[in-house]
Amino acid sequence: MAAFVKSRASGASALKRARPLTLAALSLLLFGCSGEDDAHDRAASTAAASATVTKETVAAEEATDGEPAPAAVGLDPQIFAAGAIVGEVETVDCTLSGGTQATCYQFRVAGAPADPETSPEGPFCPPNIHSGEEEGGTWMDGEGTLYQVDGEFIKNLATLYQDKEWQMYDVNTGEITVIDGARGCEVAGDPNPIEGFDNFCLECPLEELDGGIEKTVVIPRVPVPAAEPTSLAGRANTGVALNGVLFGPPAPLELILSSHTLGVLDDCGAHANPHEGYHYHTATGCSEIGIQEDGHSPMIGYALDGYAIYAREDKDGKVPADLDDCGGETDPVRGYHYHASAPGVNQIFGCFMGEKGHFLDEEGGERPPQGPPGE
């Protein structure tokens, strides 16, 4: 079966044909918008303010192998969209993941998109197998294919996974089994199976989480290069978007869809649970707020190590040719920075090149045990 997929690059949407998927290529993403009339104007104003990079490029300390470390432009809280940061930004002493004593910014992010007109939450689960793509969200294979979850996608799950146990809809009415609202958030936050109940599409809307779960992050003002790159794998969030949304870790691909359940992502590559709130798992073109005057890819946020993250493509749709394994490169204006992985890849960027800060809300950087029902 060839499924239709929806990919987004620099905010644009397109349809393409995708290769068939095997069961091993997919995993459950169970865990992982209205706005004021002037939201767009505020976002545009913020983008304009961030377009001209005026901060002096700061050369970081030399790496342990004696080679000069890549230079980096330090974190600038003023680049964030209005409403993305809640309360004051503090300057604090901090100890980074590699043991380095540093100066960090500490601030609280809203946990919901501050640019809802350009980065809207939802939709997630389509209501019926006849529903069009505008009624459903997305699903990724983790390797660069982003599927549009419309009614046809749900209907063909048994073929897609080569598993006849998939039956997420009523054969008589075509109605898809959806768990949403408060119950959806309850299920999303509980790794235990629901006895006698499987084959459902799950969604946890922001309105059931009081509009978002705020998180306090501590990020170095100027990145400190690590002795060696470190993986994004684990349960800790990996950074913050300029619109106040968390960058989640890679979804646990080893958790195969044994429970015949889908924790669908929206078009921005995000979903929510009551532990982490609303968070991105893949970059699809949202939070592209930090417009660059030279045509470079727009900035979307900061990694937990303080390096900036930019969209994958520049204004001409070109992807940098010489990115390192972490998705990073260095230029004279921005210093060292990351570029987002392709839509559908199970990560926001490749790996950490710097020593990480942390979230105060996550003890030791760990998240509560989570997983799909039946784990």
Side-chain angles (χ1 to χ4, degrees), residues 59-71 225-226 307 330 336 353:
E61 298 176 7
E62 291 195 344
T64 54
D65 61 2
E67 295 296 323
Y307 286 117
T330 301
Y336 183 80
M353 282 292 285

Side-chain angles (χ1 to χ4, degrees), residues 335-351:
Y336 183 80
H337 58 277
Y338 302 120
H339 281 270
S341 300
V345 174
N346 186 28
Q347 61 189 25
I348 301 299
F349 57 103
C351 51

Side-chain angles (χ1 to χ4, degrees), residues 179-328:
I179 300 181
D180 56 7
R183 179 59 170 155
C185 291
E186 180 183 350
V187 174
D190 187 352
N192 298 311
I194 303 174
E195 187 175 352
F197 196 32
D198 60 7
N199 261 300
F200 58 85
C201 188
L202 178 65
E203 58 182 67
C204 174
L206 270 172
E207 63 183 10
E208 296 293 344
L209 301 176
D210 296 324
I213 296 178
E214 299 175 2
K215 295 281 184 177
T216 301
V217 64
V218 179
I219 298 182
R221 291 180 61 184
V222 177
V224 175
E228 58 184 21
T230 56
S231 171
L232 304 182
R235 295 186 180 274
N237 289 306
T238 58
V240 292
L242 295 182
N243 64 359
V245 175
L246 299 174
F247 288 137
L253 293 178
E254 71 279 6
L255 298 178
I256 306 301
L257 307 175
S258 59
S259 61
H260 303 96
T261 300
L262 291 181
V264 177
L265 306 172
D266 62 18
D267 284 348
C268 285
H271 60 188
N273 67 58
H275 301 299
E276 295 307 310
Y278 183 76
H279 53 280
Y280 296 131
H281 278 296
T282 189
T284 66
C286 295
S287 189
E288 295 187 351
I289 292 172
I291 306 301
Q292 306 295 294
E293 285 186 341
D294 60 0
H296 184 277
S297 308
M299 185 177 172
I300 65 172
Y302 286 98
L304 203 54
D305 59 8
Y307 286 117
I309 308 172
Y310 292 79
R312 184 168 178 81
E313 298 180 0
D314 65 16
K315 68 171 186 174
D316 297 320
K318 297 179 180 178
V319 178
D322 299 317
L323 299 178
D324 60 27
D325 289 342
C326 292

Side-chain angles (χ1 to χ4, degrees), residues 7-100:
S7 62
R8 296 185 58 171
S10 299
S13 298
L15 289 175
K16 61 179 181 179
R17 299 291 290 184
R19 63 184 184 281
L21 281 176
T22 63
L23 176 59
L26 281 173
S27 71
L28 180 63
L29 301 182
L30 185 60
F31 297 97
C33 283
S34 63
E36 300 296 332
D37 292 338
D38 61 345
H40 179 74
D41 294 337
R42 292 200 310 267
S45 177
T46 303
S50 64
T52 303
V53 180
T54 58
K55 298 192 71 170
E56 180 180 2
T57 300
V58 182
E61 298 176 7
E62 291 195 344
T64 54
D65 61 2
E67 295 296 323
V73 174
L75 187 150
D76 183 359
Q78 295 183 359
I79 293 178
F80 285 78
I85 295 177
V86 180
E88 300 296 323
V89 177
E90 301 179 63
T91 300
V92 299
D93 295 329
C94 57
T95 302
L96 303 180
S97 60
T100 298

